[in-house]
Amino acid sequence: MIEELLPSGVTSSEAFDDAAPAPLFPAEAALMAGRRERRRRQFATARACARRALADLGRRPVALLPGPGGAPQWPSGVVGSITHCEGYRGAVVAAAGMVAALGIDAEPAGPLPSGVLGLITCARERADLAELAAADASVPWERVLFSAKEAAYKAWYPATGIWLGFRDATLVLSPAGTFTATLRPPVASPVDPVYEGRWLAGRGLVLTAVVRGARAFAGV
């Protein structure tokens, strides 16, 4: 599914369960020591997806450990993003010379838990969601917005090291499968705070992707 949201030059791999064997590097296994079996399996499958995507990029498999903020530390010259939720694990990678930043997110389709929407949105976003839902109630718009903000943050943080909250971004969603995220960092940053992305809903899932670079979305 995720490849539908990506331009050429970005490689991806995904899984919808943890059935395939997914061995970990020793450092990764140590990181998961003491975690619940379900969490370990999710982590392992997501890392296996990342290594397959790296292989498609011509890179050898390496341990992928979290860095500051929890984002995976990719090999030199590579940018990437990993996501997992119930029923989905996925990873995308690209050469740093082609793409400056990547962010993907997967969520189960359906409404957000009670009370969450008010914590992550402004009044304008909630009004926009109401209009979108009135026009097409088949799309889980709340989840799309939540996921799009997550994808934008995943692209933003590795490039800046600046932490953001959900209300530090304003989302504009399009029924055509695109979105714009305008970020408002608490401190000045040379990085352009406006991110363009794409979204997709299907198979009980919501997927979102942000790709930033000179050739991002070329030919899509």
Side-chain angles (χ1 to χ4, degrees):
M1 289 178 65
I2 195 66
E3 66 182 11
E4 297 181 41
L5 303 180
L6 304 171
S8 60
V10 179
T11 65
S12 64
S13 179
E14 62 190 359
F16 297 90
D17 57 43
D18 301 313
L24 293 172
F25 279 77
E28 294 172 330
L31 186 68
M32 288 289 102
R35 301 289 186 94
R36 293 183 178 181
E37 177 64 19
R38 179 171 174 271
R39 175 68 184 99
R40 291 199 300 270
R41 290 172 64 86
Q42 287 180 340
F43 179 92
T45 302
R47 258 48 185 185
C49 288
R51 283 188 264 278
R52 286 194 294 269
L54 283 169
D56 288 342
L57 199 65
R59 295 298 192 112
R60 63 182 181 84
V62 295
L64 297 169
L65 301 176
Q73 298 182 88
W74 298 96
S76 177
V78 172
V79 295
S81 185
I82 294 175
T83 188
H84 60 80
C85 72
E86 188 64 35
Y88 188 85
R89 298 86 172 90
V92 298
V93 297
M98 175 178 289
V99 173
L102 283 172
I104 62 168
D105 186 68
E107 300 287 335
L112 294 171
S114 178
V116 171
L117 185 64
L119 297 176
I120 68 169
T121 58
C122 65
R124 175 58 186 273
E125 288 173 319
R126 292 191 292 275
D128 288 347
L129 288 174
E131 290 185 11
L132 290 166
D136 186 354
S138 68
V139 176
W141 294 108
E142 294 180 5
R143 285 284 183 176
V144 176
L145 181 141
F146 178 91
S147 182
K149 288 195 175 188
E150 286 279 6
Y153 294 158
K154 288 182 177 182
W156 164 267
Y157 185 83
T160 66
I162 300 173
W163 182 259
L164 297 174
F166 278 96
R167 285 196 172 183
D168 293 326
T170 300
L171 255 292
V172 177
L173 297 173
S174 166
T178 62
F179 64 87
T180 300
T182 302
L183 310 184
R184 297 180 301 279
V187 296
S189 169
V191 175
D192 183 352
V194 179
Y195 284 75
E196 303 291 336
R198 298 172 65 89
W199 66 267
L200 173 69
R203 296 183 62 166
L205 297 164
V206 167
L207 300 182
T208 55
V210 168
V211 183
R212 167 166 287 180
R215 296 170 62 183
F217 294 107
V220 175

